[in-house]
Amino acid sequence: QERLVESGGGLVQPGGSLRLSCAASGFTFKRYWMYWVRQAPGKGLEWVSHIDTGGGVTYYADSVKGRFAISRDNAKNTLYLQMNSLKPEDTALYYCARGELYASAYEPWFKRGQGTQVTVSS
């Protein structure tokens, strides 16, 4: 059974940091491009970042560029999102998603986990 399980969310003050993790199982993790997307209250899904199969190619939304860093450990079947200099507008439910075997933009039908909540507030 294919599973994606996010963790690491929580409540953090503006300017703080969090590291999200996504544990993958039930498929060959190292073969897939992986994505982080988020959904703020009352808004649609927003693509945040994605990474190639080897971890050497990364892409970021302008809203997080320079503050967030995506990475992966294929030996541990785990995807990460290091989030620094967090802002209140980063408050959202964060999902990891499995993409394709090749590069593509995020598609809403990509398999996602259950999400982990990030709240940035003083």
Side-chain angles (χ1 to χ4, degrees):
Q1 181 181 2
E2 299 173 351
R3 292 189 69 198
L4 296 167
V5 180
E6 301 92 338
S7 61
L11 174 63
V12 62
Q13 293 186 342
S17 298
L18 283 174
R19 188 194 195 202
L20 306 184
S21 298
C22 171
S25 60
F27 64 96
T28 307
F29 177 74
K30 64 181 180 181
R31 296 185 64 194
Y32 290 86
W33 287 65
M34 295 296 296
Y35 299 72
W36 286 101
V37 296
R38 65 187 181 185
Q39 187 165 25
K43 296 188 177 181
L45 279 174
E46 176 191 15
W47 165 75
V48 173
S49 179
H50 66 276
I51 189 167
D52 74 329
T53 56
V57 179
T58 58
Y59 299 89
Y60 299 93
D62 287 344
S63 58
V64 307
K65 197 173 296 182
R67 299 188 298 121
F68 289 13
I70 189 171
S71 62
R72 65 192 296 162
D73 186 334
N74 286 341
K76 296 182 178 180
N77 291 341
T78 303
L79 177 72
Y80 302 100
L81 185 68
Q82 177 67 45
M83 305 187 297
N84 300 324
S85 303
L86 283 161
K87 305 175 181 179
E89 51 264 42
D90 294 318
T91 295
L93 189 59
Y94 283 72
Y95 300 92
C96 68
R98 188 192 73 180
E100 306 285 0
L101 302 179
Y102 48 84
S104 76
Y106 175 76
E107 299 289 356
W109 59 80
F110 287 173
K111 180 176 180 61
R112 296 196 305 268
Q114 83 291 344
T116 186
Q117 178 67 40
V118 172
T119 302
V120 184
S121 175
S122 54

